[in-house]
Amino acid sequence: MFTILGYEEAVNSCDCCGKSELKGTFAVQRENGDILYFGSVCVTRHTGKPAKQVRAEACAAVEERIRMATAEYVDCPERVAVEAKREQTRLQGISVGVAFRNATKAESDADNQTRALIAAKFGLKPYQIRA
Ligand SMILES: [Zn+2]
């Protein structure tokens, strides 16, 4: 039994047959927690699911992780702090440009770092978090 986790463009060889130079692979997880990457032929063979269903499940799995990562990120203290600092800076009459970036840099850096950590925890890129 495999759970389909998503489609990975960065992994280009199949862990089943060894075929390489693939456009991407499907990340799947075994019941014991191992994560493997299968090409489109092998993934249908191992899951017993047609390609269309595999693609749909991969999309749904990624969407679910984006939803969970976004939920965690919007409530994290670094996010709250940077929003507060930006608001405070705007109230001081600084709202754009270098002055604004400098005034909010410390909070912004901490926020970006946390965003990247949360994204990585869910197997996502920072830009995939929707907030
Ligand atoms: Zn294969």
Side-chain angles (χ1 to χ4, degrees), residues 8 14-16 25 40 73 80-81 95:
E8 184 53 73
C14 177
D15 284 335
C16 175
T25 50
S40 54
Y73 171 68
V80 173
S95 57

Side-chain angles (χ1 to χ4, degrees), residues 73 110-122 124-127 129:
Y73 171 68
D111 176 61
N112 284 332
Q113 199 175 5
T114 300
R115 187 188 188 98
L117 283 173
I118 293 172
K121 180 177 147 187
F122 289 94
L124 300 168
K125 302 284 185 286
Y127 63 77
I129 291 179

Side-chain angles (χ1 to χ4, degrees), residues 14-19 22 37-43 45:
C14 177
D15 284 335
C16 175
C17 65
K19 189 173 174 186
L22 300 166
Y37 297 89
F38 291 151
S40 54
V41 174
C42 292
V43 76
R45 199 151 52 78

Side-chain angles (χ1 to χ4, degrees), residues 66-77 79 118 121-122:
I66 289 172
R67 196 190 61 71
M68 289 190 297
T70 301
E72 184 169 324
Y73 171 68
V74 294
D75 286 336
C76 78
R79 166 78 174 175
I118 293 172
K121 180 177 147 187
F122 289 94

Side-chain angles (χ1 to χ4, degrees), residues 52-88:
K52 192 177 171 185
Q53 189 182 343
V54 169
R55 284 196 303 273
E57 287 186 19
C59 279
V62 172
E63 278 301 314
E64 176 60 11
R65 292 205 305 282
I66 289 172
R67 196 190 61 71
M68 289 190 297
T70 301
E72 184 169 324
Y73 171 68
V74 294
D75 286 336
C76 78
E78 292 80 3
R79 166 78 174 175
V80 173
V82 75
E83 290 297 318
K85 183 68 181 185
R86 283 172 184 158
E87 181 59 25
Q88 185 197 335

